[in-house]
Amino acid sequence: AQKAANAQANLTVLLMKVQMHYLHLNDSLTLSLFLYSDLAAPPAGVPAKQAPPFGYNYPTMHPAYQQNPAPKPNPSPSHGGYNPPGYQPYSQPFPSLSELSSALGGLGGVSELEAETLRPVNLLQERNILPPKRAPPPEPNLSNDLRKVNCSPDTFRCTLTNIPQTQALLNKARLPLGLLLHPFRDLTQLPVITSNTIVRCRSCRTYINPFVSFLDQRRWKCNLCYRVNDVPDEFMYNPVTRSYGEPHKRPEVQNSTVEFIASSDYMLRPPQPAVYLFLLDVSHNAVESGYLNVFCQSLLDNLEKLPGDTRTHIGFVTFDSTVHFYNLQEGLSQPQMLVVSDIDGNHLVKDLLNALPGMFTHTRETQSALGPALQAAYKLMSPTGGRVTVFQTQLPTLGAGLLQSREDPNLRSSTKNVLHLGPATDFYKKLALDCSGQQIGVDLFLLSSQYSDLASLACVSKYSAGSVFYYPSFHHIHNTAQKQKFQKDLQRYLTRKIGFEAVMRIRCTKGLSIHTFHGNFFVRSTDLLSLANVNPDSGFAVQMSIEESLADTSLACFQAALLYTSSKGKRRIRVHTLCLPVVSQLSEVFAGADIQAISCLLANMAIDRSISSSLSDARDALVNAVVDCLTAYRANGSNIQPSGLIAPAALRLFPLYVLALLKQKALRTGTSTRLDERVFSMCELKSQPLQQIMRMVHPDLYRIDNMTEQAALHLNDSVIPQPPLLQLTAEKLTREGAFLLDCGSVMYLWVGKCCNETFIRDVLGFQNYASLPSNMTEIPELQTTYSERTRAFISWLLESRTFLPAFHVVKDDASTKTSFFQHLVEDRTESAFSYYEFLLHIQQQMSK
């Protein structure tokens, strides 16, 4: 029997080797992929002959990746793009999952799902690795009961859905362990609990949650520190079922996200009112840009929607070379300038907003005293706390915090290190820390066509838990797309939920420890984040390590508790709890890898490294993360050793996402990137929720001129087409098509020169391609099937988004096409690898 079993195992491995060999021969046939000929030419200004990026010499490209135009394209309905005749996906000749499971090392008794996540993928041969639609986050391997009550991945995600038992096992996998949080996001259903007793562990102060265990009706065991606690008498009554004696059915124990109405025990002072102060640049540069008109009109339109109650205060400070204050006290017939006061009385606010744009129309002041204006705002707001909103259009040139230009335009395309990514002065950081101490959050809107040293200015928001918005080249007439985005962003910003005087603490199972935080906040103690303001659009990340073995437990838990004051003056605690299984096998660690969460955490780590060390160090660290992980998988995760670049299916997108990160404005080299735009991209990667970061890093590309109702969603009497995702390469574009590129904060609709005139007429409202304007920034509402179908699809893409993207219709001969093609990360640029070249580079590094 033993001999038979050994023979069977040897036969299986031999079968796979034969199939691998067959696969290699099959894919080595010359596969000429159709490439839209106009896109094969280098962009304007780029020499046709280009040196290999970074000075490496590469072997000849694999035939499957050659990009020569084919004489006759062969359309593939499954992709909306083109595949060569006879092309077969790599996965077809693979053995069955049961055969694969027996051939993989250390995988006895794995489920089919886990075997699929561990399926070896030869990245150099399997071309189409993108799923047809955005992949959902991996499901933790938990029982159905635990899975039902686990925290939503939109709120709480871990880089590894299987937690390694030991730090040694984690080190062996060469993957980062960390959490991605979106703790204050807008929720449609949120259990709110009013109780005199908020039940917490007496030892570690964990809030009771679905993953505690009840030893009996009177005792519960903490799932983080394992202390046994008494159940309070009040907890014996269930307000939902109105019954006694069932503490395990209380809403706190049935929901992983809950919000408690806090008692006075959670207050150091009476809850603060909602206080808003607007700090407005009114220099000549600001007036000329026209932003003041847009701001005043937006605030007038949304004044009644500002979060707050009868105690709400609102104030204004304007500044150029001097700082101007306004008295808006109840009883005045009109606003008075030069008197310091808070405000009450909407009619005075409206009078001021109507008057402000005209007050500075003829100004010749070109200086900016931003620093003194911020100092004045701090003094005004210190007694109460609240939110300061700053609008700035140039480099601060007067008084405290003045800055000098540090950007050399000739070095924007440097392939070496980029200078001045850190602040030039600590003035803005110190001011932010003072603001944080007085519960003042500072949000910055930068609307500037010139260098403004965002690396320094952003500190005032970063350390006071604020937000940064940036509109390069803003002009209310000459840049309509930016104006429209500014208007949309302002509407969301002014009306979104807000939490004041907030703190957040993250706890985890005994044996795990949190050591690095990412986001906009001030760390008040080792694990307490101070958030003067908290908003529903901010994300956070934390890195973790394993200090003690988790061998004695099968589950690891994480809990984030956010204590804040609502705009109505209520003290509340929002609690999220996540539960994940603990594993002892390396294969299980790989199988549970969440590649999107890993990529987002690495992006945060790379931004920190680029500022503390250098940009080249940060880029090298990202490449090494891929090299180390795939080397660890090859050495430990599989007995199959075919030639090529092998990754488990769960990590097949890892090299692609890292390449996409390296081509982000934040981290790219060799391409002209303005310093402020680079720093803003860094700010976004450090403070956005995971979903928004992933849209920025790896946008979604769809062909939309041929959408049908096949496989469409049917929601609320609407038909939502579901076109497949396309690879981010010019190969997927055709002269006859129209393609939508969703980059999160911007959307492009690329229209080919020979696009169907029916689509152009019925969707865009013009007769043909030639009549399309080059600066179109929205899709009209037309009463045609094509139009309704297209708008329904775009609306569906936007429904989960809070900030609406700028929109550009891009013609093939338009100047905006350059920015469109920058997002096609699989293609080679004058300064960076193509995806295939990057894979070869990874393979080369692994063989050293």
Side-chain angles (χ1 to χ4, degrees):
Q2 185 61 45
K3 287 182 179 179
N6 291 341
Q8 177 64 36
N10 292 335
L11 183 61
T12 303
V13 174
L14 180 63
L15 169 67
M16 295 192 71
K17 287 182 177 177
V18 170
Q19 288 175 324
M20 287 284 188
H21 184 64
Y22 161 73
L23 168 69
H24 183 71
L25 291 174
N26 187 51
D27 274 0
S28 294
L29 298 173
T30 301
L31 303 177
S32 299
L33 291 170
F34 174 77
L35 176 63
Y36 178 36
S37 58
D38 287 18
L39 304 177
V46 178
K49 188 176 181 181
Q50 298 161 350
F54 310 130
Y56 292 113
N57 291 317
Y58 289 98
T60 308
M61 289 180 72
H62 188 282
Y65 276 78
Q66 288 179 354
Q67 300 183 350
N68 300 321
K72 189 173 181 181
N74 179 27
S76 167
S78 63
H79 293 285
Y82 290 82
N83 277 335
Y87 180 81
Q88 289 185 342
Y90 171 65
S91 56
Q92 289 305 310
F94 242 74
S96 70
L97 288 175
S98 58
E99 292 175 311
L100 177 66
S101 178
S102 64
L104 285 168
L107 287 182
V110 298
S111 66
E112 285 204 0
L113 179 63
E114 188 172 307
E116 170 55 29
T117 61
L118 288 168
R119 174 176 66 87
V121 177
N122 189 337
L123 297 174
L124 287 169
Q125 293 180 334
E126 185 163 339
R127 185 79 198 273
N128 299 317
I129 58 170
L130 268 189
K133 58 178 64 177
R134 267 202 174 271
E139 279 267 5
N141 185 21
L142 298 169
S143 67
N144 285 336
D145 289 343
L146 291 180
R147 196 177 293 174
K148 284 176 189 172
V149 294
N150 212 1
C151 195
S152 165
D154 293 335
T155 299
F156 220 154
R157 271 170 87 164
C158 185
T159 55
L160 304 175
T161 57
N162 290 328
I163 304 298
Q165 261 186 12
T166 62
Q167 183 66 37
L169 183 58
L170 177 61
N171 293 343
K172 209 172 179 183
R174 306 306 295 267
L175 289 169
L177 178 61
L179 302 170
L180 282 297
L181 288 87
H182 190 180
F184 200 58
R185 73 184 184 95
D186 293 322
L187 296 170
T188 52
Q189 289 185 318
L190 176 63
V192 177
I193 297 164
T194 305
S195 174
N196 294 328
T197 305
I198 297 177
V199 180
R200 302 176 66 179
C201 174
R202 289 179 60 194
S203 178
C204 69
R205 306 303 291 154
T206 294
Y207 293 81
I208 197 167
N209 60 79
F211 311 108
V212 305
S213 50
F214 284 89
L215 305 183
D216 51 47
Q217 283 197 340
R218 287 292 178 181
R219 294 181 303 155
W220 65 277
K221 187 177 181 181
C222 176
N223 53 316
L224 266 59
C225 73
Y226 313 123
R227 179 190 174 115
V228 176
N229 296 272
D230 294 331
V231 176
D233 290 338
E234 186 185 344
F235 204 74
M236 296 300 291
Y237 174 70
N238 189 337
V240 178
T241 60
R242 297 185 178 181
S243 60
Y244 285 89
E246 295 181 317
H248 61 284
K249 292 186 178 178
R250 288 267 304 197
E252 301 96 311
V253 189
Q254 292 292 313
N255 298 278
S256 58
T257 291
V258 295
E259 190 153 285
F260 297 98
I261 306 294
S263 63
S264 58
D265 299 347
Y266 292 86
M267 304 176 198
L268 294 175
R269 63 177 184 176
Q272 73 173 67
V275 180
Y276 305 109
L277 182 67
F278 296 95
L279 217 58
L280 306 167
D281 180 355
V282 291
S283 63
H284 175 75
N285 191 59
V287 172
E288 198 278 331
S289 75
Y291 96 86
L292 203 54
N293 285 291
V294 180
F295 163 73
C296 289
Q297 189 56 55
S298 294
L299 186 51
L300 278 168
D301 293 343
N302 294 290
L303 197 57
E304 307 300 329
K305 300 175 189 171
L306 282 177
D309 55 17
T310 54
R311 303 184 304 153
T312 300
H313 282 59
I314 184 169
F316 299 88
V317 173
T318 56
F319 64 96
D320 39 38
S321 60
T322 56
V323 182
H324 325 120
F325 305 94
Y326 299 86
N327 184 0
L328 301 174
Q329 199 162 355
E330 195 77 80
L332 295 175
S333 59
Q334 62 182 27
Q336 291 180 352
M337 198 167 170
L338 301 174
V339 181
V340 178
S341 176
D342 288 331
I343 52 136
D344 207 355
N346 268 359
H347 72 282
L348 288 174
V349 177
K350 291 177 180 176
D351 288 347
L352 179 64
L353 290 172
N354 283 316
L356 263 178
M359 289 169 64
F360 301 94
T361 304
H362 303 296
T363 184
R364 290 293 173 261
E365 285 286 0
T366 57
Q367 305 279 11
S368 169
L370 174 64
L374 281 167
Q375 288 176 323
Y378 167 68
K379 289 176 182 176
L380 276 171
M381 299 286 280
S382 288
T384 58
R387 183 180 76 189
V388 176
T389 308
V390 181
F391 294 85
Q392 174 74 0
T393 67
Q394 61 178 310
L395 198 70
T397 54
L398 279 179
L402 70 85
L403 297 167
Q404 306 290 332
S405 179
R406 299 191 290 160
E407 181 178 42
D408 182 350
N410 296 321
L411 297 180
R412 286 178 184 169
S413 300
S414 172
T415 55
K416 298 178 182 177
N417 278 321
V418 176
L419 303 177
H420 309 309
L421 294 175
T425 170
D426 61 2
F427 170 81
Y428 294 97
K429 179 178 179 178
K430 283 183 174 178
L431 185 64
L433 298 182
D434 289 341
C435 286
S436 178
Q438 299 300 320
Q439 306 298 345
I440 303 165
V442 184
D443 296 327
L444 175 65
F445 285 77
L446 182 62
L447 308 101
S448 177
S449 55
Q450 303 298 322
Y451 172 71
S452 300
D453 199 351
L454 187 57
S456 298
L457 297 182
C459 291
V460 77
S461 297
K462 178 179 178 181
Y463 295 102
S464 68
S467 306
V468 177
F469 301 83
Y470 179 47
Y471 306 87
S473 307
F474 177 88
H475 196 279
H476 69 298
I477 294 174
H478 304 313
N479 195 334
T480 53
Q482 286 275 27
K483 177 188 173 183
Q484 288 169 355
K485 175 146 182 61
F486 181 49
Q487 285 174 318
K488 293 172 187 172
D489 289 357
L490 267 179
Q491 181 175 9
R492 166 66 182 173
Y493 172 80
L494 293 169
T495 59
R496 70 186 180 184
K497 189 174 179 177
I498 186 170
F500 297 102
E501 48 186 352
V503 291
M504 181 167 69
R505 181 171 262 127
I506 302 167
R507 298 178 172 90
C508 51
T509 289
K510 184 181 178 182
L512 295 169
S513 69
I514 294 167
H515 58 81
T516 308
F517 297 91
H518 301 275
N520 290 358
F521 50 77
F522 171 58
V523 182
R524 189 175 291 176
S525 63
T526 53
D527 64 345
L528 188 70
L529 305 188
S530 174
L531 308 168
N533 294 172
V534 62
N535 70 74
D537 303 314
S538 290
F540 303 87
V542 294
Q543 291 168 240
M544 308 188 70
S545 57
I546 305 169
E547 292 193 335
E548 300 173 22
S549 172
L550 303 174
D552 293 337
T553 181
S554 61
L555 298 174
C557 290
F558 311 88
Q559 188 175 85
L562 177 69
L563 171 64
Y564 72 97
T565 299
S566 75
S567 57
K568 306 287 187 189
K570 301 289 186 187
R571 204 74 173 131
R572 291 178 169 235
I573 311 159
R574 188 173 296 190
V575 179
H576 309 285
T577 312
L578 174 68
C579 177
L580 296 172
V582 173
V583 299
S584 58
Q585 298 295 319
L586 184 63
S587 57
E588 295 173 302
V589 179
F590 284 127
D594 183 338
I595 192 55
Q596 291 193 359
I598 288 170
S599 301
C600 289
L601 184 63
L602 286 175
N604 277 277
M605 294 163 68
I607 300 305
D608 282 0
R609 176 75 71 91
S610 63
I611 295 171
S612 64
S613 179
S614 68
L615 190 62
S616 60
D617 275 1
R619 291 171 56 85
D620 289 345
L622 283 172
V623 174
N624 289 338
V626 179
V627 172
D628 290 347
C629 173
L630 296 189
T631 302
Y633 173 71
R634 183 177 66 185
N636 302 292
S638 172
N639 290 330
I640 308 164
Q641 297 287 338
S643 60
L645 186 61
I646 309 301
L651 292 168
R652 69 189 184 281
L653 296 174
F654 196 10
L656 177 61
Y657 285 163
V658 165
L659 176 65
L661 267 176
L662 294 173
K663 294 188 177 185
Q664 280 289 298
K665 285 181 181 178
L667 296 164
R668 70 189 183 188
T669 57
T671 301
S672 184
T673 307
R674 292 170 56 183
L675 192 51
D676 280 346
E677 291 191 27
R678 183 185 296 277
V679 171
F680 177 64
S681 179
M682 290 179 162
C683 291
E684 287 191 297
L685 290 173
K686 286 281 286 184
S687 63
Q688 296 282 346
L690 179 144
Q691 288 182 326
Q692 182 69 1
I693 291 175
M694 286 312 303
R695 288 191 193 98
M696 287 167 48
V697 171
H698 191 274
D700 294 332
L701 179 65
Y702 307 91
R703 181 170 182 171
I704 64 168
D705 63 297
N706 59 359
M707 290 191 297
T708 66
E709 294 188 12
Q710 185 177 358
L713 295 177
H714 295 266
L715 300 172
N716 302 326
D717 300 326
S718 294
V719 177
I720 318 289
Q722 296 292 290
L725 283 172
L726 303 177
Q727 292 164 262
L728 294 177
T729 167
E731 289 176 15
K732 295 301 179 183
L733 305 179
T734 68
R735 185 186 281 108
E736 296 78 23
F739 298 82
L740 185 73
L741 185 68
D742 179 6
C743 309
S745 59
V746 61
M747 272 188 177
Y748 298 95
L749 175 55
W750 189 86
V751 184
K753 283 182 179 176
C754 302
C755 183
N756 189 324
E757 289 190 0
T758 305
F759 176 84
I760 295 174
R761 183 179 63 251
D762 288 0
V763 174
L764 301 177
F766 291 87
Q767 288 305 305
N768 51 42
Y769 179 86
S771 62
L772 276 176
S774 58
N775 60 346
M776 196 169 175
T777 57
E778 57 187 353
I779 292 181
E781 288 190 26
L782 304 175
Q783 303 302 312
T784 66
T785 303
Y786 259 137
S787 175
E788 289 172 1
R789 191 179 289 165
T790 304
R791 286 184 289 111
F793 176 60
I794 293 175
S795 296
W796 177 75
L797 291 178
L798 298 179
E799 70 178 10
S800 63
R801 235 163 292 186
T802 49
F803 287 105
L804 298 179
F807 193 89
H808 297 275
V809 176
V810 181
K811 296 179 69 175
D812 188 30
D813 51 4
S815 58
T816 46
K817 85 172 187 180
T818 304
S819 54
F820 173 84
F821 285 112
Q822 281 180 350
H823 294 286
L824 301 183
V825 296
E826 291 198 27
D827 291 338
R828 187 180 187 179
T829 67
E830 71 271 22
S831 60
F833 299 134
S834 69
Y835 175 53
Y836 183 76
E837 288 171 328
F838 185 63
L839 294 178
L840 291 176
H841 176 54
I842 296 293
Q843 186 183 41
Q844 186 183 66
Q845 295 298 104
M846 289 174 64
S847 63
K848 283 184 178 179

